[in-house]
């Protein structure tokens, strides 16, 4: 039990699952910003986000393992941790005009949105990726777009990669891809 819940004047011996989640999300954000794990550990410790001394080793090990898997998957899928590109969207679907920006994209020969999550798979993650992909294809069907979602898995699971989802548009030609994407967006 947490110290504040029991009323005792003791420090928590470990993080609860929600605190561990936020710690992992913070480490992933730090890594995507280019901060190395040692510097992040110093900052998190100074902020009071970690249990003291040796007690933090288990928590840090769990979140580091999960973030390492996410990073490894991102590297092996060719998307890395940095996603600096964005694509403007301005199209008409049915009787609606859609204007916006799809952010956190990679370029290259397989461009598209990339989402890294320190959470387990959730339907909303797939929906967001699919809508971003549909908007990109409807705007410009010529690139070989793909949407990539990488999420953590339990540290106890075997393997060295995270949970990966890669979405690609259907259609044999650019015109067919655009038509299918517009039709799908119109149905939302």
């Amino acid at each position: 039990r947490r110290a504040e819940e029991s009323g005792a004047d003791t420090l928590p011996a470990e993080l609860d699952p929600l605190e561990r989640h936020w710690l992992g999300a913070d480490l992933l954000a730090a890594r995507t910003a280019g901060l190395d794990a040692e510097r992040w550990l110093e900052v998190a410790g100074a902020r009071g986000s970690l249990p003291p001394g040796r007690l933090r080793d288990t928590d840090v090990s769990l979140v580091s393992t999960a973030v390492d898997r996410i990073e490894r998957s991102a590297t092996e899928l060719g998307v890395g941790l940095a996603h600096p590109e964005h694509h403007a969207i301005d199209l008409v679907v049915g009787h609606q005009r859609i204007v916006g920006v799809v952010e956190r994209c990679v370029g290259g020969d397989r461009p598209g949105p990339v989402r890294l999550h320190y959470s387990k798979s959730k339907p909303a993650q797939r929906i967001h990726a699919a809508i971003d992909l549909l908007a990109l294809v409807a705007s410009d069907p010529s690139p070989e777009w793909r949407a990539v979602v990488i999420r953590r898995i339990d540290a106890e699971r075997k393997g060295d990669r995270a949970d990966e989802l890669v979405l690609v548009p259907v259609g044999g030609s650019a015109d067919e891809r655009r038509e299918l994407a517009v039709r799908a967006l119109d149905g939302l």
Side-chain angles (χ1 to χ4, degrees), residues 76-143:
E76 291 184 18
L77 288 172
V79 297
L81 293 178
H83 313 112
E85 294 191 20
H86 61 276
H87 298 277
I89 302 297
D90 187 353
L91 55 104
V92 176
V93 175
H95 298 291
Q96 299 290 320
R97 182 172 180 202
I98 300 173
V99 179
V101 175
V102 176
E103 299 179 316
R104 296 179 291 198
C105 293
V106 294
D109 60 342
R110 296 303 308 266
V114 176
R115 301 294 181 265
L116 308 177
H117 298 280
Y118 189 86
S119 64
K120 294 179 185 176
S121 177
K122 295 183 172 81
Q125 297 164 345
R126 283 173 275 183
I127 292 168
H128 290 156
I131 291 172
D132 283 349
L133 182 62
L134 289 169
L136 289 167
V137 172
S139 292
D140 181 4
S142 57

Side-chain angles (χ1 to χ4, degrees), residues 13 51-60:
R54 296 174 80 213
L55 298 175
R56 74 175 165 204
D57 292 347
T58 300
D59 291 314
V60 170

